[in-house]
């Protein structure tokens, strides 16, 4: 080992996970958490651009946003919210298990989080598929026809208020934002689930239940952040003027 | 804190108990139920306000408890606030243009 | 002329055998290094490469503008050339220049740490930078892009058929490199300071880089999402900025300038940090109003978030918003002026010597002041309507970016060259290079102010014949400037082998980095220093030397 490492191991305990340029484990952990929070700030700003766009267009094209929002399935959206909140809870429990060195608890928490996350993406896929069938996906196949002449329900009344054609075309802006926002969110979920699998393998080997659990805690921060994004997306996209 | 310092990795760290996590989890579920319920009641301009207020409350709970910010240093709290602040600059200053466009020329 | 350089006796002095360069050998030891100093060197080499690519583009632009007709190249080629000049220079040179080279090298040394907080992320940031750079070059070779570096919609989404997506992706990747550098600096400065290194004992270089790092972390992601939306609009046809679907093209500009205006401060702030160090060292005085200069860096960073729409005054923002943004823009002048005034006061009654870094620093102060003051013209929305999109604006940002930032970069490279390599560059020829750069720069860009005032628009290959005289001046100046930039490359490389041995502290500067050997050891400090002296405390330095003479010598 290099000379400096031995030089300051006299003063401190020197666990294997401590990188050479940190003075002690507390400094290393604080730095890592701080770094993760700074990364999450960049995520806030990344989604911030989308939320800005959303606010601008919602104010401009409110009727189109109402009509677009009414085509989303509120039950699926709510169920997905439940899945994600629950996965945040299981992740928080995973962090607690790693802090208190409960290996099997950690493993099961991570498995639960993975399942809930995949469930969320599965439901999202069903919702996306419906949008393709209805030609509500922005791009060349988009059609605003169903907003000018809404489909009729059993009594022969239109399901939703018809829009004037010049407002109806702006539903494409709503769906552009819907896909951009939920799509970016889904990308973050997919990345998160990929990392969760790696964490699962390592925690099955007992890596995060020996006292050094920074990785699990940092990932927890990321996962909760993704949850928070959805907490905002759900009311903004699904719950516009439902009465 | 003297007995904690013997275990370097838990130095100055607060372990949040599962009971707290469960309480927050419940609060989030209730929040979701309220936000869906509120959207079916016609409150005029207050609908989006209430939806956002509930979302902000839920997000705050997640940040404070699930993400441990309540038990973290002042630096972390400031960091989170600075993120929110910059986000508000982006939204607020952009909207300042969009809102005042309708006012026309002077 | 007096000099403060003190070199060890050249007949006996040697560059220390054990240092960060000789620590490990082989190309892999560089490509997989976690050492912040080696990453800084990697950045320095690749930045220089991209600088000369961008410089070659600039040479083509100036050659084309030598004559009023578009004769050297067709108009659309010209569009591609100035676009790539902008993209390469901004994303691959100016934004990373000082932070990624000098910052990477010096931040840990100055705070008294062994490395940045996250060495692997630091290395990753270099790889991202290279990936982005190579992608941009690939886009350039396979047809280029002609939107201007601003990717303005709907031009970029509807009307051009060039490599917008590839180039956008390159900028996106380079953005992450910048985010990671910034993140690393913030954590290092907060969490890795040596015992006794309080915030107000930090060199101003650290304050400046800290402020720039805040901007990197908070502003960059916004341009990332804007570019993603442009790419999605081109590829799958979503309609966030598309006016035919009801989108607002101006929203793209809001998001783009939310980053790209603070990006100007990302570029200039670290340069200002360099100037603080250099002025203090060569005037042998503590920087006048230390805390004012420190806080002015943070103030520039914060105000920088409130002014972006001054790039959009003629683009259709509301009058009221233009008024507010115009007033807020004036705020930025205050901290910038605080810096200039305080540097001037630092010089007052100082023992000034005129070594190369100081010459560049003087160049910076003069040119940055002109660049900054002409910025006030452009910040006032009334005069901006006349001057925007003319050569006035080109001259303005080149005075700030090239005259300011590049001068600061060269000043810093010369100042810390002995620390980075252990050897001195040849002093006389480098002074010549500094003077040539200054003269060439003014010849190149001052005529452009006049051209802009006369109404010559930017971004056109052809212009009315009455503008030719000034354009010839400008092109002639550019060739002098080119010589000024080539010279340092040549003699700095020469100095690697033949330069005089520099010793630990050739400038007798006070920073922590000067109290260790040059080039430093891989671990920087054999023992983490305990800081008791104040920052820029030249008396402390004198006492240290006496102490060494009486106890060691």
């Amino acid at each position: 080992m290099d000379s400096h490492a031995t030089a300051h191991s006299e003063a401190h305990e020197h666990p294997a996970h401590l990188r050479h340029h940190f003075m002690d484990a507390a400094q290393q952990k604080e730095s890592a958490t701080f770094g993760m929070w700074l990364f999450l700030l960049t995520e806030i700003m990344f989604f911030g651009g989308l939320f800005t766009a959303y606010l601008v267009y919602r104010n401009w094209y409110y009727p189109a946003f109402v009509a677009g929002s009414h085509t989303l399935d509120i039950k699926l959206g709510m169920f997905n919210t439940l899945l994600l909140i629950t996965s945040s809870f299981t992740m928080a429990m995973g962090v607690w298990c790693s802090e208190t060195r409960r290996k099997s608890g950690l493993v099961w928490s991570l498995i639960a989080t993975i399942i809930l996350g995949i469930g969320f993406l599965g439901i999202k896929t069903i919702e996306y598929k419906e949008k393709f069938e209805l030609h509500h996906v922005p791009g060349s196949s988009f059609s605003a026809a169903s907003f000018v002449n809404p489909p009729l329900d059993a009594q022969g009344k239109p399901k939703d208020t018809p829009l004037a054609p010049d407002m109806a075309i702006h539903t494409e802006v709503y769906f552009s934002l819907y896909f951009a926002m939920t799509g970016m969110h889904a990308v973050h979920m997919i990345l998160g689930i990929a990392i969760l699998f790696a964490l699962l393998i390592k925690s099955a080997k007992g890596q995060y239940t020996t006292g050094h659990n920074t990785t699990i805690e940092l990932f927890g921060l990321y996962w909760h952040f993704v949850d928070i994004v959805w907490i905002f997306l759900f009311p903004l996209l699904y719950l516009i003027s439902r009465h | 804190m003297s007995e904690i310092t013997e275990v370097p990795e838990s130095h100055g760290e607060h372990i949040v108990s599962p009971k707290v996590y469960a309480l927050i989890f419940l609060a989030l579920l209730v929040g979701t139920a309220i936000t869906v319920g509120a959207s079916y009641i016609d409150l005029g301009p207050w609908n989006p306000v209430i939806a956002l207020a509930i979302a902000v409350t839920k997000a705050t709970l997640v940040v404070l408890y699930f993400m441990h910010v309540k038990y973290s240093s002042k630096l972390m709290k400031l960091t989170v606030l600075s993120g929110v602040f910059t986000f508000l600059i982006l939204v607020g200053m952009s909207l300042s243009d969009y809102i005042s466009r309708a006012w026309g020329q002077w | 002329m007096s000099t403060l350089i003190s070199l060890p006796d050249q007949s006996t002095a040697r560059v220390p055998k054990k240092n960060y360069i000789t620590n490990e050998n082989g190309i892999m030891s560089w490509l997989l290094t976690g050492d912040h100093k080696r990453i800084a060197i990697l950045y320095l080499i690749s930045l220089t490469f991209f600088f000369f690519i961008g410089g070659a583009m600039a040479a083509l632009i100036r050659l084309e503008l030598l004559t009023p007709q578009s004769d050297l190249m067709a108009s659309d080629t010209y569009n591609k050339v100035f676009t790539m000049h902008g993209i390469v220079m901004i994303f691959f040179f100016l934004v990373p220049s000082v932070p990624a080279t000098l910052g990477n090298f010096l931040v840990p040394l100055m705070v008294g740490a062994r490395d940045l907080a996250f060495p692997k992320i630091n290395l990753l940031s270099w790889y991202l930078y290279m990936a982005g750079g190579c992608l941009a070059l690939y886009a350039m070779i396979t047809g280029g892009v002609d939107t201007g570096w601003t990717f303005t919609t709907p031009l970029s989404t509807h009307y051009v058929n060039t490599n917008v997506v590839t180039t956008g992706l390159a900028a996106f990747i380079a953005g992450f490199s910048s985010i990671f550098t910034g993140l690393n600096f913030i954590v290092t400065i907060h969490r890795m300071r040596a015992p006794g290194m309080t915030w107000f004992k930090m060199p101003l270089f650290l304050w400046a880089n800290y402020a720039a790092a805040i901007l990197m972390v908070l502003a960059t992601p916004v341009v990332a999402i804007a570019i993603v939306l442009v790419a999605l609009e081109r590829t799958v046809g979503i309609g966030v900025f598309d006016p035919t679907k009801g989108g607002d093209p101006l929203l793209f500009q809001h998001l783009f300038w939310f980053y790209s205006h603070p990006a100007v401060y990302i570029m200039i702030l670290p340069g200002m940090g360099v100037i603080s160090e250099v002025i203090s060292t060569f005037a042998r005085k503590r920087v006048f109003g230390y805390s004012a200069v420190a806080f002015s860096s943070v103030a520039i960073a914060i105000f920088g978030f409130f002014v972006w729409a001054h790039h959009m005054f003629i683009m259709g923002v509301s009058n009221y918003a233009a008024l507010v943004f115009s007033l807020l823009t004036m705020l930025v002048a205050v901290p910038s002026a605080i810096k200039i005034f305080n540097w001037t006061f630092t010089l007052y009654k100082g023992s000034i010597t005129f070594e190369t870094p100081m010459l560049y620093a003087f160049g910076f102060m003069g040119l940055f002041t002109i660049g900054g003051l002409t910025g006030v013209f452009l910040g006032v929305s009334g005069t901006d309507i006349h001057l925007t999109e003319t050569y006035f604006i080109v001259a303005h940002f080149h005075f700030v970016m090239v005259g300011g930032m590049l001068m600061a970069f060269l000043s810093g490279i010369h100042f810390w060259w002995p620390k980075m390599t252990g050897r001195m560059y040849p002093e006389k020829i480098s002074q010549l290079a500094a003077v040539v750069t200054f003269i060439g720069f003014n010849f190149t860009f001052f005529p452009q102010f006049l051209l802009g005032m006369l109404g010559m628009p930017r971004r056109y290959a052809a212009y009315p014949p009455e503008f030719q005289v000034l354009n010839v001046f400008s092109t002639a100046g550019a060739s002098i400037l080119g010589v000024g930039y080539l010279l340092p490359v040549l003699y700095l490389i020469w100095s690697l082998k033949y330069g005089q041995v520099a010793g630990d502290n050739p400038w007798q500067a006070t920073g922590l980095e000067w109290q260790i050997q040059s080039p430093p050891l891989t671990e920087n400090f054999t023992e983490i220093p305990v800081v008791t002296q104040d920052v820029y405390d030249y008396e402390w330095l004198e006492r240290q030397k006496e102490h060494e003479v009486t106890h060691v010598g």
Side-chain angles (χ1 to χ4, degrees):
Chain A
M1 197 164 257
D2 358 14
S3 55
H4 65 271
T6 43
H8 69 94
S9 62
E10 289 160 16
H12 301 281
E13 276 296 301
H14 207 287
H17 56 77
L18 179 59
R19 310 256 309 145
H20 77 96
H21 56 286
F22 289 106
M23 287 197 252
D24 53 41
Q27 189 196 24
Q28 172 166 324
K29 183 159 194 171
E30 274 177 16
S31 302
T33 314
F34 187 33
M36 190 65 201
W37 267 108
L38 288 174
F39 177 72
L40 293 183
L41 290 197
T42 73
E43 293 279 20
I44 293 178
M45 296 311 292
F46 187 79
F47 282 98
L50 288 169
F51 281 110
T52 310
Y54 172 88
L55 282 175
V56 168
Y57 295 130
R58 177 182 161 135
N59 283 322
W60 276 7
Y61 307 130
Y62 186 66
F65 270 54
V66 171
S69 169
H70 288 184
T71 66
L72 301 183
D73 189 328
I74 204 165
K75 288 196 200 75
L76 289 181
M78 198 170 151
F79 187 62
N80 251 352
T81 311
L82 292 186
L83 286 185
L84 214 50
I85 289 177
T86 316
S87 84
S88 243
F89 174 66
T90 55
M91 192 60 226
M93 289 308 294
V95 172
W96 179 76
C97 289
S98 72
E99 275 167 343
T100 50
R101 309 190 183 192
R102 290 173 163 83
K103 184 176 140 187
S104 64
L106 172 62
V107 168
W108 284 108
S109 303
L110 293 183
I111 292 175
T113 313
I114 291 176
I115 292 173
L116 291 163
I118 291 177
F120 176 93
L121 288 174
I123 289 175
K124 206 76 232 156
T125 317
I126 295 170
E127 290 186 86
Y128 277 4
K129 190 161 159 279
E130 192 214 355
K131 294 284 160 277
F132 274 97
E133 285 158 2
L134 295 173
H135 296 286
H136 286 170
V137 180
S140 49
S141 67
F142 183 83
S143 158
S146 63
F147 296 103
V148 184
N149 299 305
L152 306 178
D153 62 12
Q155 284 94 48
K157 278 191 287 183
K159 276 184 183 164
D160 206 353
T161 335
L163 292 176
D166 60 341
M167 182 52 81
I169 60 164
H170 296 322
T171 50
E172 190 167 3
V173 175
Y174 170 81
F175 284 110
S176 294
L177 282 167
Y178 168 77
F179 277 99
M181 293 169 110
T182 56
M184 285 301 153
H185 180 259
V187 167
H188 281 82
M189 295 281 300
I190 293 169
L191 280 176
I193 290 169
I195 299 172
L196 268 172
F197 273 109
L199 294 181
L200 178 63
I201 294 168
K202 284 194 181 169
S203 40
K205 291 180 187 155
Q207 202 153 332
Y208 303 120
T209 34
T210 53
H212 176 58
N213 66 336
T214 313
T215 318
I216 293 284
E217 281 190 22
L218 297 190
F219 180 78
L221 292 180
Y222 174 83
W223 193 257
H224 297 314
F225 172 79
V226 176
D227 184 25
I228 288 176
V229 173
W230 185 258
I231 285 178
F232 283 95
L233 288 185
F234 175 58
L236 289 182
L237 293 171
Y238 286 75
L239 301 180
I240 309 177
S241 182
R242 279 288 177 173
H243 39 269
Chain B
M1 286 270 210
S2 57
E3 77 279 11
I4 295 176
T5 46
E6 288 165 29
V7 192
E9 52 273 282
S10 55
H11 171 81
E13 185 189 306
H14 186 281
I15 296 182
V16 185
S17 75
K19 214 191 255 172
V20 176
Y21 285 144
L23 274 176
I24 299 301
F25 176 53
L26 271 180
L28 293 176
L29 291 182
V30 172
T32 311
I34 297 176
T35 192
V36 173
S39 74
Y40 282 100
I41 307 165
D42 188 359
L43 300 165
W46 293 101
N47 273 102
V49 176
I50 285 182
L52 275 181
I54 294 170
V56 168
T57 315
K58 283 163 76 182
T60 313
L61 287 178
V62 174
V63 168
L64 287 181
Y65 293 94
F66 280 6
M67 298 169 95
H68 301 173
V69 167
K70 184 169 190 278
Y71 314 99
S72 302
S73 58
K74 241 184 214 155
L75 175 64
M76 297 298 167
K77 288 175 182 140
L78 273 176
T79 309
V80 179
L81 283 180
S82 72
V84 176
F85 178 67
T86 325
F87 172 78
L88 290 178
I89 296 176
L90 171 63
V91 173
M93 295 295 284
S94 298
L95 287 184
S96 78
D97 169 28
Y98 286 93
I99 291 166
S100 58
R101 271 190 218 173
W103 301 350
Q105 310 288 315
W106 27 35
Chain C
M1 204 186 282
S2 68
T3 175
L4 66 85
I5 304 178
S6 83
L7 298 179
D9 180 7
Q10 293 297 313
S11 55
T12 55
R14 294 281 175 276
V15 174
K17 273 222 175 63
K18 190 170 173 348
N19 62 47
Y20 78 97
I21 302 170
T22 58
N23 186 42
E24 282 177 284
N25 288 317
I27 186 85
M28 291 320 282
S29 75
W30 284 86
L31 292 181
L32 298 176
T33 185
D35 182 0
H36 65 102
K37 300 180 286 302
R38 286 186 162 212
I39 295 169
I41 301 293
L42 290 176
Y43 259 119
L44 180 61
I45 296 167
S46 29
L47 274 168
T48 311
F49 170 73
F50 282 106
F51 173 72
F52 280 99
I53 300 259
M57 300 287 172
L60 287 175
I61 293 171
R62 281 320 319 167
L63 276 178
E64 167 59 53
L65 293 177
L66 197 55
T67 55
Q69 309 80 26
S70 102
D71 36 21
L72 180 68
M73 48 191 135
S75 289
D76 56 344
T77 318
Y78 180 81
N79 292 347
K80 289 177 182 172
V81 169
F82 77 68
T83 300
M84 290 314 295
H85 168 70
I87 287 172
V88 169
M89 284 301 200
I90 287 171
F91 292 115
F92 300 103
F93 179 73
L94 286 168
V95 167
S97 59
V98 170
T101 54
L102 297 171
N104 257 338
F105 196 93
L106 292 166
V107 167
L109 293 177
M110 284 181 165
V111 299
R114 294 188 197 279
D115 206 324
L116 286 171
F118 311 112
K120 280 182 190 160
I121 288 181
N122 197 18
L123 183 65
L124 174 66
S125 92
W126 180 73
Y127 275 102
L128 287 172
Y129 168 82
M130 287 309 283
C134 292
L135 204 57
L137 288 185
Y138 167 78
M140 185 166 84
I141 294 163
T142 58
V145 60
D146 57 356
T147 58
W149 77 280
T150 51
F151 301 113
T152 310
T153 54
L155 178 69
S156 60
T157 49
H158 282 64
Y159 297 106
V160 296
N161 216 0
T162 47
N163 293 330
V164 177
V165 175
T166 323
T167 320
L169 189 63
F172 181 85
I173 295 174
F176 273 92
S177 152
S178 171
I179 287 175
F180 288 141
T181 303
L183 192 152
N184 234 329
F185 283 5
I186 295 180
V187 176
T188 306
I189 291 173
H190 267 285
R191 280 282 165 257
M192 311 276 291
R193 279 172 286 131
M197 177 60 87
T198 58
W199 280 85
F200 292 97
K201 282 183 181 173
M202 290 197 325
L204 288 165
F205 182 79
L206 290 180
W207 278 94
N209 271 284
Y210 178 75
I214 292 176
L215 293 174
M216 288 180 186
V217 168
L218 287 172
T220 317
V222 181
V223 80
I225 186 66
I227 290 177
V228 167
L229 289 173
V230 165
L232 287 177
E233 196 150 327
R234 277 188 77 90
T235 49
V236 297
I238 71 162
V240 179
F241 305 129
D242 182 353
T244 61
K245 292 169 181 163
D248 181 21
L250 211 53
L251 179 66
F252 170 80
Q253 295 205 24
H254 274 299
L255 297 182
F256 181 84
W257 288 113
F258 183 85
Y259 164 74
S260 295
H261 191 74
V264 175
Y265 303 125
I266 295 177
M267 301 175 212
I268 197 73
L269 275 168
M272 291 170 157
V274 171
I275 300 302
S276 295
E277 300 299 308
V278 170
I279 296 265
S280 166
T281 303
F282 293 95
R284 316 303 300 162
K285 270 177 71 186
R286 182 186 158 92
V287 172
F288 180 85
Y290 168 88
S291 45
V293 178
F295 281 123
S296 68
S297 290
V298 181
I300 289 178
I302 294 172
F303 293 167
F305 279 116
F306 288 91
V307 302
W308 77 83
H310 64 217
H311 294 266
M312 302 157 60
F313 284 158
I314 62 157
M315 312 289 180
V317 293
S318 81
N319 290 346
Y320 302 89
L323 178 74
V324 171
F325 277 102
S326 182
L327 287 173
L328 289 172
T329 301
M330 299 303 137
L331 279 182
V332 183
V334 177
S336 312
I338 287 177
K339 281 180 185 291
I340 293 282
F341 288 141
N342 282 329
W343 290 326
T344 317
F345 273 112
T346 310
L347 294 173
Y348 180 67
K349 288 194 174 169
S351 323
I352 304 171
T353 53
F354 295 90
E355 280 79 13
T356 315
M358 189 63 157
L359 292 181
Y360 278 115
F362 280 135
F364 173 95
M365 283 173 69
L367 300 178
F368 175 77
T369 306
I370 297 177
L373 287 175
T374 51
V376 178
F377 296 25
L378 295 162
V380 179
S381 61
T383 42
D384 180 70
I385 290 166
H386 174 62
L387 294 172
T388 193
E389 302 298 325
T390 70
Y391 259 83
F392 191 89
I393 213 161
V394 176
H396 156 68
F397 67 68
H398 280 89
F399 262 77
V400 180
M401 291 296 114
V402 187
M405 180 56 216
L406 203 54
M407 286 281 181
F409 178 69
L410 287 169
S411 174
I413 290 290
H414 284 89
F415 185 59
W416 281 290
W417 189 256
K419 184 51 65 183
M420 293 166 102
T421 64
R423 290 187 183 270
M424 294 298 290
Y425 51 83
E427 182 65 28
K428 282 281 169 285
I429 187 168
S430 61
Q431 287 177 341
L432 178 75
V435 174
V436 167
T437 310
F438 184 79
I439 294 171
F441 177 85
N442 280 297
F443 257 109
T444 312
F445 292 106
F446 203 83
Q448 296 184 2
F449 278 127
L450 307 177
L451 284 169
M453 276 293 192
L454 294 170
M456 177 172 162
R458 64 192 283 211
R459 293 180 170 167
Y460 286 95
Y463 55 86
E466 65 258 35
F467 295 139
Q468 191 176 8
V469 177
L470 288 168
N471 270 303
V472 170
F473 263 112
S474 184
T475 303
S479 38
I480 302 176
L481 191 58
V483 174
Y485 291 146
L486 271 177
L487 275 177
V489 179
L490 299 177
Y491 64 70
L492 287 178
I493 292 176
W494 176 87
S495 77
L496 288 177
K497 192 157 168 56
Y498 304 105
Q500 289 180 301
V501 177
D504 295 353
N505 193 357
W507 313 119
Q508 306 171 58
T510 56
L512 281 183
E513 79 271 25
W514 296 107
Q515 317 311 323
I516 54 174
Q517 72 169 45
S518 356
L521 294 166
T522 301
E523 64 267 31
N524 295 349
F525 303 95
T526 41
E527 251 179 86
I528 292 291
V530 177
V531 182
T532 49
Q533 76 276 19
D534 212 350
V535 62
Y536 308 122
D537 190 344
Y538 292 96
E539 285 169 18
W540 167 82
L541 193 71
E542 291 301 318
R543 282 201 303 278
Q544 287 291 104
K545 261 193 264 168
E546 280 166 27
H547 182 78
E548 255 172 51
V549 172
T550 48
H551 288 78
V552 185

